[in-house]
Amino acid sequence: MIITGATIITGVFGYPVRHSLSPVFQNAAFQYRHLNWVYVPFEISPEYLKDAVRAIKIFSVKGINVTIPHKKEVIKYLDVLDEEVKLLGVANTIVNEDGCLKGYSTDGEGFLRSLKEDGGFTPENKLVFLFGSGGSSFAIAGALVRAGISGLIICNRTIEKAAVLKNHLKDCFSFQNIEVIPFEKRNNAGIWKNIDLVVNTTSVGMKDDDVVLVDEKNLNDNMFIYDIVYNRETPLILSAKKKGVRCLDGLSMLVFQGAVSFTLWTKIEAPIEVMKKSLIAYKKTMQKGNQN
Ligand code: ATR
């Protein structure tokens, strides 16, 4: 990659941002498409967020991804919000259109594309069991409802938040077939009979001592398991693989939500396979580095 006077800048605002994998696959995509663009990490502490957003205009930065902890706060400083952002109250992508900053959320579309294109799973008329009621669950549940699922069971450690998500889906999409179940009752066998899709949007499974989310006995091979955790193979994914249940982890969604951002900025189709391969190669390099 050669940086020239004409290089177009994009990047990610986060705090911390060192862990972000987006620079790896976004730069791989720019290179593959022969674009004189670059994607860089910006560690922005919360007190500087407003100034940082102003700097997007000052420095003519073309596009920014926004990650933890700025997704909610950032929308105050944007000029135009996409309908999805208005619904969700969070943005993860900014496009600078000649000085006008537009906010988008690409998580929902990224999730759906990943489910369909990588998972080969069509959500229409399917019954979904969703773990979690945080920021990601709002985007994912909204996308699933719009895609025409037949019913949704929401299960979250804090049941009040699950009720908030349920009401949000009812209000925004007039979707009625939603049940909330307490976290302690998540493995009651009766619930699991007709489930088509299980989605974990919580961080459960990231750590060794996390609780078991789904008992293996409740999984069957008519189901599809989607776990948005991407830093490791969670016990949920391991159980699915052991039982021959179709499954997908969070790396796929990470790439697809990034691909949607890529296209919003460049108006060019993102090279999904190239982006995935760059991540796999990067992870291998990191593993080797750790061994040495
Ligand atoms: P994100 O924006 O990635 O969704 P978040 O808004 O912090 O992140 O949401 C995290 C989700 O993981 C929540 O649903 C949270 O449950 P609570 O609403 O009860 O906090 C869930 N979560 C995190 N740690 C958990 C744990 N140890 N057991 C069960 N659920 C957990």
Side-chain angles (χ1 to χ4, degrees):
M1 177 190 298
I2 302 169
I3 305 286
T4 70
T7 302
I8 293 173
I9 299 168
T10 63
V12 53
F13 285 0
Y15 190 76
V17 81
R18 295 179 69 88
H19 64 281
S20 175
L21 296 174
S22 299
V24 175
F25 64 78
Q26 294 290 9
N27 284 312
F30 291 148
Q31 241 169 315
Y32 182 79
R33 291 281 187 241
H34 304 291
L35 295 171
N36 187 6
W37 290 49
V38 67
Y39 186 103
V40 286
F42 293 104
E43 187 153 282
I44 309 291
S45 72
E47 81 247 43
Y48 290 129
L49 182 64
K50 187 178 178 188
D51 294 332
V53 174
R54 214 169 103 76
I56 296 173
K57 292 188 190 184
I58 297 168
F59 294 134
S60 295
V61 169
K62 178 63 193 175
I64 285 290
N65 279 137
V66 183
T67 186
I68 290 167
H70 304 311
K71 285 184 179 187
K72 205 180 181 114
E73 189 69 12
V74 77
I75 63 177
K76 284 200 264 186
Y77 309 124
L78 303 179
D79 301 313
V80 180
L81 302 179
D82 184 55
E83 285 309 310
E84 177 95 352
V85 174
K86 287 184 196 159
L87 278 181
L88 297 172
V90 293
N92 74 343
T93 303
I94 302 170
V95 182
N96 182 357
E97 302 270 10
D98 301 320
C100 175
L101 301 186
K102 298 187 178 173
Y104 297 85
S105 168
T106 68
D107 281 342
E109 189 182 339
F111 170 79
L112 265 194
R113 280 193 58 192
S114 147
L115 184 65
K116 289 181 183 175
E117 293 176 37
D118 272 356
F121 184 91
T122 314
E124 281 86 347
N125 298 317
K126 301 291 192 332
L127 179 59
V128 180
F129 193 118
L130 178 86
F131 284 103
S133 298
S136 315
S137 4
F138 274 69
I140 288 172
L144 284 168
V145 167
R146 267 181 294 196
I149 58 170
S150 60
L152 181 65
I153 296 171
I154 307 173
C155 179
N156 193 49
R157 180 179 58 181
T158 311
I159 197 161
E160 293 78 12
K161 286 200 208 160
V164 171
L165 175 56
K166 176 179 170 171
N167 290 333
H168 167 82
L169 295 169
K170 279 188 165 176
D171 293 347
C172 295
F173 306 105
S174 306
F175 186 69
Q176 304 299 329
N177 194 7
I178 310 173
E179 193 184 341
V180 168
I181 64 157
F183 198 65
E184 315 74 63
K185 298 200 172 151
R186 65 190 181 280
N187 276 305
N188 286 7
I191 304 166
W192 288 91
K193 275 194 196 116
N194 299 314
I195 301 295
D196 300 299
L197 172 66
V198 182
V199 186
N200 175 35
T201 70
T202 75
S203 49
V204 176
M206 275 179 158
K207 293 189 263 89
D208 286 336
D209 55 354
D210 280 343
V211 293
V212 174
L213 215 47
V214 187
D215 285 345
E216 221 165 272
K217 65 173 168 49
N218 287 327
L219 301 180
N220 68 62
D221 50 19
N222 291 321
M223 291 176 181
F224 192 99
I225 310 289
Y226 198 116
D227 196 330
I228 71 162
V229 171
Y230 62 77
N231 67 336
R232 66 186 300 199
E233 278 198 314
T234 61
L236 180 59
I237 291 290
L238 289 171
S239 298
K241 286 188 173 170
K242 194 170 147 201
K243 290 196 77 169
V245 180
R246 293 166 300 161
C247 61
L248 213 49
D249 68 32
L251 269 187
S252 170
M253 176 171 162
L254 182 72
V255 167
F256 274 98
Q257 60 80 33
V260 180
S261 301
F262 177 97
T263 301
L264 284 169
W265 298 324
T266 62
K267 315 274 185 259
I268 291 173
E269 194 188 335
I272 299 286
E273 288 310 313
V274 169
M275 294 162 102
K276 275 190 213 156
K277 277 185 190 151
S278 72
L279 271 186
I280 293 164
Y282 172 75
K283 284 190 136 191
K284 275 191 186 148
T285 315
M286 293 307 284
Q287 277 160 5
K288 270 192 195 153
N290 288 340
Q291 280 161 9
N292 293 337

